[in-house]
Amino acid sequence: MGETVFSRLRQGILLGLRTGGKVLLGVGALLGLGSLVAPPALAQTDLTALEQALPPEAWAELQTLLKTQQYHADIVWTTVAGALVFFMQAGFAMVEAGFTRAKNATNIVLKNLMDFCFGACAFWFLGFGLMFGSHVAGFLGTNWFFFNWQQGAEAGSQNDAWPFTFFCFQLVFAATAATIVSGAMAERTRFLAYLIYSIVISGAIYPISGGWAWNGLFADYNGGTAGWLENLGYIDFAGSGVVHLVGGAAAFAGTLVLGPRLGKYGPNGEPRAIPGHSLPLGMLGALILWLGWVGFNAGSTTAAIPDIGWIAFNTYLAGAAGAIGALCTSWAIFTKPDMTFAANGTLAGLVGITAPCNTVHPLGAILIGSVAGVLVVLSVLFIEGTLKVDDPVGAVSVHGVCGAWGVIAAGIPWFAHAEAGVTWAVLPVQILGVIALGGWSFICCLALFLILKGTIGLRVSAEEELAGLDIGEHGNIAYPDFVTASGELEG
C-alpha cells in the first residue's frame, strides 16, 4: 500500500511540473495527496525516498505545501477547540442555575454571559499583554496590549497571523477562570460588584499568574521569553493550576467575604440543605462541561496532531472515574447515591486530569480522576460543615481543591507514561506552583472583594435576597408561570 501511495503522490507532483507553474505544481501535489485519505497511509509514505525521486524544486514546493496545510489544520482545530471551551459557559450557567433556586436563575445566567463579555474586552485591552507579552524577569508581560490587526498579522518571522487564533483560544480560558466564582457566590452577590470583579480577574489577576506558567507558549512572538514557573519545569498542560486553582481560590476568597446565604446555617451552626430548583438542568450542565473539556484539554495542543486523541482518551477516563469515585463516596456516607455529587465528581475528575492530560498513562488517568472524585465529596463536607463556608455549587472543592490535586498529580512519576520524562524532582516545583498560583489569586481576590464590600457593596440586602435576585437586581422572573414554593428558609 505504501508503494502505491508513494507512486500516486510522485505522479501527481510530476504532473504539476509537466503542466508548468508553481500553482499547478501545488495542484498536482494535492492530486497525489488525494490518495492519502487514511492517516496511516501518509504515515507509511517514505518521504526520504520521495525526496530522492523528485527534482529539488518539486521537493521544496511539496514541503511548503505540506507546511501550509498543517498550519491551516492547526488554525481550524484550535478555533474549533476554543469554540468548545466557549460552550462551557453554557455548561457553567446550567450547573449553577440548576443547583440553586429558581428565583435567582436569571441572575446566574446573565452573570455567565456578562463575565465573558466584560472579561473579553479586559483580556484584549490588558490581560493578554500581561500574560503573553515580553516578560520582565518571568513575572510580567510588557507589550501586546490591545494589539491591532497589523500587529497580529505581521508578528513573528512567518507573518502567519497566528496571534489572532491564539488570542481567541486563550480568551476562553480566561473566561473559564472568571466564571468559576459565579456559582460559589450565587444567590446573594450584587450584580455590579460581580461585573467589576470579572473585569479585574480577566484583565489582571488571572493573566499575571497565567504568564508565570504559560508565557513561553507565545515565545515566537514575544521575543522568546518565558514565565518563572515555566523556567523551573512546572507542568500544567491545560490548566489545573493556571485556570481552575486560580478560579477556585478566587471563589474561596469571595465566599469568605460574602458570608453564607440566609438560612444556610441553623442556630447551632449546623448546615442546612438548600435544594436547587432543577437537578436535571444541573446534570445537563455537567455533561456540556464534559464535552467542552475535550476542547479544553485536547485543544491545548494548539496543533492538529495525533496527541489530540491521546489527550481526549485520558480526559474521558478521568471524568468517568471522578463520577464513580464521588458516587461511591457519597453512597457510603449518605447510604444513597447522590446525583449532585456524581455530577461534581465528573467535573472534579476533569479538573484533576487537566494538568497531566498529556503525560499520564490510562491507569494514571483513572487513578487521578478517582482520587479527585473522593476529594470533592470530602472537601464539600469539610468546607460547608467545619469551615462554615457556603458554596452553593461546590466550586471551591471542584476547581480549587481538585485543581491543586491535578497540579500535584502531574509531578508524580507513578501516573506518567514511559515517554513523559516525569521524575520526582518535578514534584517540589508542582507544590510551589500550587502555593504561588493559589496564594496569588486568593490574596488578590480577597483584597478586591473587601474593597468592593467597603465601597459599592458586595452583597444585596436581606429583602432582595429573600425575594430573589431576579426581581431585586434585574426586574425579571425566570419562570413566570411557576408557583413559588412557600416557606423559604430565613435566618
Side-chain angles (χ1 to χ4, degrees):
M1 182 178 177
E3 180 60 30
T4 302
V5 170
F6 168 82
S7 300
R8 291 179 181 177
L9 181 59
R10 182 174 182 274
Q11 290 169 6
I13 294 173
L14 291 178
L15 173 63
L17 282 174
R18 286 196 298 271
T19 51
K22 290 186 177 181
V23 174
L24 288 178
L25 173 60
V27 173
L30 285 175
L31 290 172
L33 288 172
S35 64
L36 309 179
V37 177
L42 181 58
Q44 294 167 7
T45 301
D46 188 345
L47 292 180
T48 301
L50 183 61
E51 180 181 6
Q52 295 173 351
L54 292 176
E57 180 185 356
W59 174 250
E61 188 75 14
L62 176 61
Q63 290 291 91
T64 300
L65 176 67
L66 292 176
K67 184 177 180 180
T68 300
Q69 295 308 311
Q70 177 65 54
Y71 173 66
H72 291 169
D74 294 345
I75 287 181
V76 171
W77 165 241
T78 304
T79 302
V80 170
L84 286 173
V85 179
F86 174 69
F87 191 48
M88 291 173 72
Q89 292 288 120
F92 280 113
M94 297 301 98
V95 168
E96 295 166 16
F99 288 173
T100 54
R101 289 168 289 186
K103 64 183 181 180
N104 300 303
T106 295
N107 173 262
I108 286 171
V109 296
L110 183 59
K111 286 194 301 182
N112 278 273
L113 170 66
M114 298 314 301
D115 62 21
F116 177 84
C117 295
F118 279 93
C121 297
F123 190 68
W124 169 74
F125 189 80
L126 181 64
F128 185 80
L130 290 175
M131 190 166 181
F132 294 107
S134 301
H135 255 207
V136 175
F139 280 90
L140 199 69
T142 57
N143 50 21
W144 282 93
F145 303 114
F146 48 90
F147 68 92
N148 58 25
W149 179 88
Q150 185 174 7
Q151 183 179 359
E154 298 178 358
S157 59
Q158 303 299 319
N159 296 338
D160 55 13
W162 173 251
F164 299 122
T165 303
F166 185 75
F167 171 87
C168 292
F169 190 70
Q170 293 300 329
L171 166 62
V172 291
F173 275 54
T176 299
T179 204
I180 288 169
V181 176
S182 174
M185 299 177 65
E187 301 199 299
R188 66 244 199 239
T189 306
R190 289 196 64 196
F191 186 67
L192 176 59
Y194 183 79
L195 294 182
I196 294 173
Y197 146 79
S198 299
I199 293 171
V200 175
I201 193 171
S202 299
I205 297 173
Y206 165 80
I208 290 174
S209 59
W212 300 345
W214 285 354
N215 179 265
L217 297 177
F218 204 56
D220 289 344
Y221 305 89
N222 67 11
T225 63
W228 68 270
L229 268 178
E230 200 173 5
N231 287 330
L232 292 176
Y234 174 75
I235 300 172
D236 195 355
F237 185 74
S240 290
V242 171
V243 179
H244 296 282
L245 174 57
V246 166
F252 188 52
T255 55
L256 286 177
V257 176
L258 195 59
R261 292 168 290 175
L262 295 177
K264 176 61 182 176
Y265 293 97
N268 298 320
E270 70 278 7
R272 294 172 173 174
I274 302 180
H277 82 280
S278 178
L279 298 189
L281 186 65
M283 179 59 80
L284 174 62
L287 292 172
I288 289 174
L289 287 171
W290 199 343
L291 170 65
W293 233 289
V294 176
F296 205 98
N297 286 358
S300 291
T301 58
T302 61
I305 56 176
D307 292 31
I308 291 171
W310 171 251
I311 293 168
F313 176 59
N314 282 337
T315 301
Y316 283 120
L317 287 180
I324 294 171
L327 182 75
C328 293
T329 304
S330 65
W331 203 338
I333 294 173
F334 306 115
T335 71
K336 291 184 181 295
D338 186 275
M339 191 224 83
T340 60
F341 276 120
N344 269 342
T346 300
L347 304 183
L350 293 168
V351 170
I353 198 61
T354 298
C357 59
N358 69 323
T359 59
V360 299
H361 50 70
L363 180 58
I366 290 176
L367 291 174
I368 291 170
S370 299
V371 171
V374 174
L375 276 176
V376 75
V377 177
L378 301 179
S379 175
V380 165
L381 297 178
F382 176 76
I383 290 173
E384 180 184 78
T386 303
L387 299 182
K388 309 299 181 187
V389 173
D390 182 17
D391 179 0
V393 302
V396 176
S397 299
V398 169
H399 300 279
V401 174
C402 295
W405 161 241
V407 172
I408 292 171
I412 299 177
W414 295 336
F415 300 139
H417 61 71
E419 298 180 1
V422 176
T423 66
W424 287 109
V426 177
L427 187 57
V429 177
Q430 299 301 107
I431 295 173
L432 176 62
V434 169
I435 296 170
L437 296 172
W440 164 261
S441 178
F442 178 78
I443 293 171
C444 290
C445 288
L446 185 66
L448 172 63
F449 288 127
L450 286 172
I451 292 171
L452 290 173
K453 181 179 180 179
T455 52
I456 66 171
L458 184 61
R459 184 166 182 152
V460 299
S461 68
E463 292 76 14
E464 287 179 306
E465 184 175 344
L466 289 172
L469 274 63
D470 288 3
I471 295 175
E473 286 277 274
H474 310 289
N476 298 136
I477 301 176
Y479 306 103
D481 296 328
F482 280 19
V483 178
T484 303
S486 61
E488 288 281 6
L489 291 172
E490 297 186 22

